[in-house]
Amino acid sequence: MRPSGRKTDQMRKVSFERNFSKHAEGSCLVKFGDTHVLCTASLEEKTPPWLRNSGKGWITAEYGMLPRATGERMKREAASGKQGGRTQEIQRLIGRSLRAVVDLQALGERQITLDCDVIQADGGTRTASITGGWIALYDCLKWMENRNMIKTDRVLKDHIAAISCGIFAGQPVIDLDYLEDSSAETDANFVMTGAGGIVEIQGTAEGTPFSEEEFTTLMHLAKNGIAELVELQKQAIA
């Protein structure tokens, strides 16, 4: 039995609240159970120096956790003067994931930055950030389309969503919350497109190595979960 009482293939309740931020070109408050992340998309009419005069745009991301997103207050990374390795790794993952479904040439020489700020953490913050970040990106592109800057369907090639899976108490399960994640024997994150293409898989055995059969089961759980998330994204933007 999972601590939450969920079935092995049952995700937490997922919701998207679009246009959460008044000022951002695109924004979404995404909730995976008790994990809440505010994703905002900001447009700049410039690209990184290494992309200038290339005709291509760029999608990048920044990630952070508010001090009381967790059980005990964490110090702001700004107070230490540098970002931690975990933060850098997660924001690079978010950026890579979103770029996988964007035609950077069709975007033009512009940059969109996705800021993913964790308001409350209960496991799966990176997967929630990617899934909610897609909604914020979509709304930013629609904002641009309404001003005759781009055609959204030319820039955005597909949906992207992510989910965590793992082996907890000997059982493959989907969408781990903190209690499961902190004691899982295996922890994995899957990022996939709406068409089922694999963008990234991160998998780690925390103790006993996992088998190919167990990985196949986790992959099956992830595919079904991501298909459900993509359907929720479609409903949110309809």
Side-chain angles (χ1 to χ4, degrees):
M1 179 68 70
R2 303 178 71 175
S4 63
R6 289 182 285 141
K7 297 177 182 179
T8 57
D9 62 350
Q10 182 181 0
M11 295 192 300
R12 294 171 288 181
K13 182 180 178 181
V14 177
S15 67
F16 303 109
E17 185 177 346
R18 296 168 69 191
N19 303 313
F20 189 84
S21 176
K22 175 181 178 180
H23 301 292
E25 284 80 16
S27 65
C28 175
L29 177 65
V30 56
K31 296 181 180 180
F32 276 48
D34 286 334
T35 288
H36 303 170
V37 184
L38 174 58
C39 305
T40 56
S42 302
L43 172 67
E44 294 179 278
E45 286 285 348
K46 63 179 182 179
T47 60
W50 51 272
L51 265 181
R52 285 175 191 162
N53 302 317
S54 68
K56 293 183 179 181
W58 192 243
I59 307 291
T60 189
E62 293 190 11
Y63 167 95
M65 297 181 70
L66 297 185
R68 279 315 302 264
T70 57
E72 295 181 358
R73 185 184 186 277
M74 301 178 298
K75 290 185 178 180
R76 297 182 190 272
E77 290 185 321
S80 66
K82 65 177 181 178
Q83 290 180 317
R86 176 181 179 273
T87 296
Q88 294 182 42
E89 184 253 324
I90 291 175
Q91 62 191 26
R92 287 170 183 160
L93 170 65
I94 298 167
R96 286 195 303 272
S97 300
L98 293 170
R99 286 195 298 273
V101 292
V102 171
D103 184 333
L104 297 175
Q105 195 80 41
L107 179 61
E109 292 198 22
R110 306 177 176 100
Q111 175 169 287
I112 298 175
T113 301
L114 273 296
D115 287 292
C116 300
D117 294 294
V118 180
I119 299 172
Q120 185 170 280
D122 187 35
T125 60
R126 72 185 68 195
T127 53
S129 296
I130 293 167
T131 307
W134 185 91
I135 298 278
L137 175 61
Y138 174 87
D139 281 341
C140 179
L141 295 174
K142 276 296 181 183
W143 183 94
M144 295 171 69
E145 182 176 22
N146 291 338
R147 289 156 180 79
N148 299 313
M149 299 167 71
I150 56 150
K151 292 288 186 183
T152 301
D153 59 359
R154 286 187 57 202
V155 176
L156 197 57
K157 299 181 289 185
D158 202 348
H159 288 253
I160 194 90
I163 196 69
S164 65
C165 295
I167 298 174
F168 172 76
Q171 289 288 323
V173 297
I174 193 170
D175 193 20
L176 283 70
D177 57 28
Y178 177 74
L179 286 175
E180 294 170 329
D181 186 44
S182 61
S183 57
E185 296 108 75
T186 296
D187 181 25
N189 297 299
F190 295 80
V191 185
M192 300 177 70
T193 67
I198 298 169
V199 174
E200 189 151 344
I201 299 173
Q202 301 175 328
T204 305
E206 302 292 346
T208 305
F210 56 96
S211 67
E212 184 176 344
E213 181 182 1
E214 288 172 323
F215 173 77
T216 300
T217 302
L218 294 177
M219 184 73 189
H220 179 72
L221 286 171
K223 286 178 67 176
N224 289 341
I226 286 174
E228 186 176 333
L229 290 172
V230 168
E231 186 58 36
L232 289 173
Q233 287 176 334
K234 290 178 179 178
Q235 293 174 17
I237 64 173

